[in-house]
Amino acid sequence: IVPFSLSSSSRNRIVSIQSCCSCSTSSASISTESKEKKPWLIVGLGNPGKKYAATRHNVGFEMVDAIAEAEGISMNSVSFKGLFGKGLIGDVPVILAKPQTFMNCSGESVGA
């Protein structure tokens, strides 16, 4: 796991988050330079329960937790079969999500 933090200067540039395991690679980019301030949905995939804590299966959960902590976003909303937090990264509105379905069924939460 790579340490993650956002400095004030990086909020004005593109921030890339990448996660990779043997089965897939995913990435998301946040640009604060757009004129429209539509919210970004940042989803960290993982599996619920203590059995999967601190495993490669939950790197997505750990990234969302790191972003939430760095930006002061509380992950306190429960809906759509997931944990959610709303806030800002710089001046960009974001919704952070951690689906509480197993990874293969994460679409049930993310789609809703």
Side-chain angles (χ1 to χ4, degrees):
I1 298 174
V2 177
F4 180 84
S5 65
L6 292 176
S7 66
S8 59
S9 63
S10 67
R11 289 185 182 125
N12 295 325
R13 292 181 275 157
I14 295 174
V15 177
S16 294
I17 305 163
Q18 297 183 341
S19 171
C20 179
C21 70
S22 61
C23 61
S24 68
T25 302
S26 63
S27 66
S29 296
I30 301 171
S31 175
T32 60
E33 297 172 4
S34 74
K35 292 181 182 181
E36 295 180 30
K37 298 299 179 191
K38 294 182 180 181
W40 283 77
L41 174 62
I42 301 173
V43 179
L45 297 183
N47 289 321
K50 292 181 181 182
K51 178 179 178 180
Y52 299 99
T55 67
R56 67 185 173 97
H57 299 283
N58 281 15
V59 170
F61 282 3
E62 292 178 20
M63 288 301 300
V64 166
D65 288 339
I67 294 168
E69 183 177 340
E71 298 300 319
I73 299 171
S74 178
M75 297 291 295
N76 60 2
S77 296
V78 178
S79 59
F80 305 110
K81 298 182 183 180
L83 298 173
F84 292 86
K86 294 180 182 180
L88 295 171
I89 297 179
D91 61 350
V92 177
V94 296
I95 301 169
L96 304 178
K98 294 177 10 179
Q100 296 300 293
T101 58
F102 284 91
M103 193 177 294
N104 292 344
C105 297
S106 60
E108 293 175 17
S109 176
V110 176

